[in-house]
Amino acid sequence: MSASSNSNWDRRTVLRAAMGLAAAGGLAACGSNTGRGSGGSGDGLVQYFHAYGEAGVEQAVKRYAKAYKETSVTTQWITGNNFEQKLFAALLTKNAPDVFEFHPQIQLIKSGQVADLTDIIEPVKSDFNQADIKSHTVDGKIYGVRMIDDPQFFFYRPSLFEKAKVEVPTTLEELIEAAAKLKTGKVKGAYLGNDLTPVQHSLIWSAGADTLTADNKPAFNTDAVADGLKQLRGLFTSGDLLLDAPADWWDPSAFTQGLTAIQWCGMWAMPAMQEALGDDIGVFPFPKVGSAGKESVYNGGWSMFVNAKGKNVEAAKEYVKWLWIDQKEYQEDFATSYGFHIPPRTSLAESASKLKSGLPAEGVKLFNEFGHFDNIGWTQAMIAAFNDVMANSVRKDGDPKAQLAACEKKVSTELQKLFG
């Protein structure tokens, strides 16, 4: 699900950045004005959600909470572009929420900020996508319950492809050629986000590399990744790429308003796209880079965490178990009624009728065939270091190999801090 439509940044990266700072103790509290009358230490529970862009999500979350009979649950629906600031400022105060949504991040665990949820997940562990379990596991313990999986890929207009006599790209070279052929006076060929960073992980995977090895060593500094960066530089300077769109990549408006023939976006946007464009929509993964590469799909998503430093830990765990493990009807509703997402529970993913045909079914197929999940050890400092690679080698024409080497050095330093 997307963030508020008035935001104009990679919400996921910004949120993870804030968590990295907060968990390390580097985010100062911004006062106690968190938008609620009493803190999580009082009667009842408080949960924090960012403002999803799709209509009906807030009402659904509050409806679920109201149905819980064991204690009252208050939902703080954080609007605007500062969810992470309000959340992590609150986590450092007596007004901290008992439950909050976020993404798997190892600093959360090492700082003791989130509770171990192994006991509530273990009985149904086999019914979860095992990649989701892995991305939330450290030293055999599971932190966080996945709520939704959000695959990201390229959306395109088949009618425009047919008119331009363009085939669906399977290589990065073909994508660049397609963008050139699809560009007209009013429509750009492709849109990869306003700063291109949304595709950086997929670039790595599609080049046959990875962020980290299984034993937590840098794995992205390869010739194929460098070549991919050079190709993106060519696309960036070609005039075929949409730059500075009114809303960033997670919002489908650049695509639905006809500003671009191809857009990188998430599965959550499918209903809005279908409402605007009908059946004139297709999807394809990030194309392979180099002869050893393979197409890839980035599987993002959101998870629910329990504040281990709160005074209602056990009650909060019971609520999370009730809603995100026991109440399968609510879980399916959340995943498929307000934008399209893939339920992390295998049984729900297999039975969700709205994902069985058409464009959603194609998205699920790409998710299963080409999907990659977050590595919990790939921290925001590392993401920021690779953001610099994108900025310096794609937008500023720096030498990709030199930029990758500099990034590798920074990542190695961070890994040393985390893993010794």
Side-chain angles (χ1 to χ4, degrees):
M1 297 180 184
S2 66
S4 300
S5 59
N6 64 346
S7 303
N8 208 16
W9 80 107
D10 181 342
R11 74 192 192 286
R12 211 158 171 277
T13 296
V14 173
L15 295 180
R16 293 181 69 176
M19 177 50 72
L21 292 171
L27 181 64
C30 299
S32 59
N33 182 18
T34 61
R36 75 176 204 249
S38 60
S41 60
D43 294 335
L45 300 173
V46 174
Q47 60 180 353
Y48 268 32
F49 277 77
H50 81 286
Y52 289 81
E54 295 77 13
V57 186
E58 179 181 4
Q59 292 77 10
V61 168
K62 291 180 177 179
R63 173 165 50 85
Y64 308 153
K66 187 176 181 180
Y68 188 59
K69 303 305 181 185
E70 298 303 316
T71 188
S72 64
V73 180
T74 301
T75 302
Q76 290 301 313
W77 195 252
I78 311 302
T79 59
N81 61 3
N82 58 347
F83 168 73
E84 73 286 351
Q85 295 174 359
K86 290 184 178 180
L87 170 61
F88 299 117
L91 284 174
L92 299 175
T93 74
K94 64 180 181 180
N95 289 320
D98 302 288
V99 176
F100 59 91
E101 64 169 358
F102 204 66
H103 313 285
Q105 181 66 257
I106 199 167
Q107 288 97 325
L108 280 167
I109 298 158
K110 288 187 173 291
S111 68
Q113 185 68 71
V114 295
D116 174 9
L117 303 184
T118 307
D119 57 335
I120 68 173
I121 299 175
E122 190 66 40
V124 294
K125 179 180 176 180
S126 62
D127 190 38
F128 273 86
N129 186 311
Q130 292 306 293
D132 281 322
I133 294 294
K134 181 180 179 181
S135 69
H136 291 69
T137 300
V138 174
D139 296 331
K141 297 179 180 180
I142 306 169
Y143 300 84
V145 179
R146 195 65 150 184
M147 303 185 296
I148 48 175
D149 283 323
D150 278 334
Q152 301 165 22
F153 21 62
F154 283 112
F155 290 80
Y156 72 98
R157 299 280 301 278
S159 63
L160 298 181
F161 272 48
E162 182 178 357
K163 184 177 180 180
K165 296 181 172 54
V166 171
E167 299 294 328
V168 175
T170 59
T171 68
L172 185 54
E173 292 94 336
E174 291 173 355
L175 174 64
I176 294 169
E177 292 171 0
K181 293 178 181 178
L182 290 162
K183 187 187 70 171
T184 67
K186 296 181 179 180
V187 181
K188 290 291 187 179
Y191 179 50
L192 281 63
N194 282 338
D195 64 5
L196 280 72
T197 59
V199 302
Q200 65 188 35
H201 292 95
S202 295
L203 175 72
I204 293 171
W205 294 319
S206 286
D210 208 338
T211 53
L212 301 174
T213 63
D215 59 347
N216 295 309
K217 299 292 190 298
F220 53 83
N221 185 5
T222 70
D223 289 342
V225 173
D227 288 342
L229 291 167
K230 290 179 182 177
Q231 292 179 64
L232 284 184
R233 171 63 183 175
L235 177 60
F236 180 77
T237 58
S238 67
D240 303 326
L241 195 65
L242 176 64
L243 303 172
D244 300 322
D248 213 343
W249 68 279
W250 47 262
D251 187 300
S253 59
F255 189 66
T256 59
Q257 294 174 11
L259 302 180
T260 181
I262 302 172
Q263 178 176 335
W264 182 262
C265 196
M267 188 168 169
W268 59 81
M270 284 183 177
M273 291 181 178
Q274 290 176 317
E275 182 177 355
L277 302 171
D279 294 331
D280 190 23
I281 311 167
V283 290
F284 63 90
F286 195 95
K288 70 175 184 177
V289 179
S291 59
K294 183 180 179 180
E295 295 158 292
S296 67
V297 168
Y298 185 11
N299 293 331
W302 290 89
S303 308
M304 190 57 62
F305 297 90
V306 169
N307 179 12
K309 298 181 179 180
K311 295 183 179 180
N312 299 312
V313 175
E314 290 307 314
K317 287 177 63 175
E318 284 300 314
Y319 172 65
V320 169
K321 177 181 181 297
W322 174 82
L323 179 53
W324 297 111
I325 293 179
D326 298 339
Q327 303 303 312
K328 293 180 113 179
E329 180 181 352
Y330 291 157
Q331 293 160 35
E332 182 173 350
D333 179 68
F334 190 70
T336 62
S337 296
Y338 319 97
F340 290 148
H341 320 266
I342 300 175
R345 300 286 292 273
T346 303
S347 57
L348 288 179
E350 291 176 345
S351 65
S353 59
K354 294 181 181 179
L355 307 181
K356 289 292 187 180
S357 61
L359 191 66
E362 183 63 23
V364 172
K365 179 181 177 182
L366 296 183
F367 169 89
N368 289 327
E369 185 173 358
F370 300 112
H372 292 262
F373 291 72
D374 281 318
N375 185 325
I376 197 169
W378 182 251
T379 69
Q380 177 51 38
M382 302 174 198
I383 295 170
F386 208 92
N387 286 348
D388 291 341
V389 173
M390 296 292 288
N392 294 330
S393 62
V394 177
R395 301 203 305 275
K396 297 181 182 178
D397 200 25
D399 176 59
K401 285 299 291 182
Q403 294 299 321
L404 287 170
C407 181
E408 182 176 12
K409 184 176 180 179
K410 293 177 184 177
V411 168
S412 295
T413 299
E414 294 301 318
L415 290 169
Q416 183 66 28
K417 294 177 184 177
L418 289 169
F419 301 106

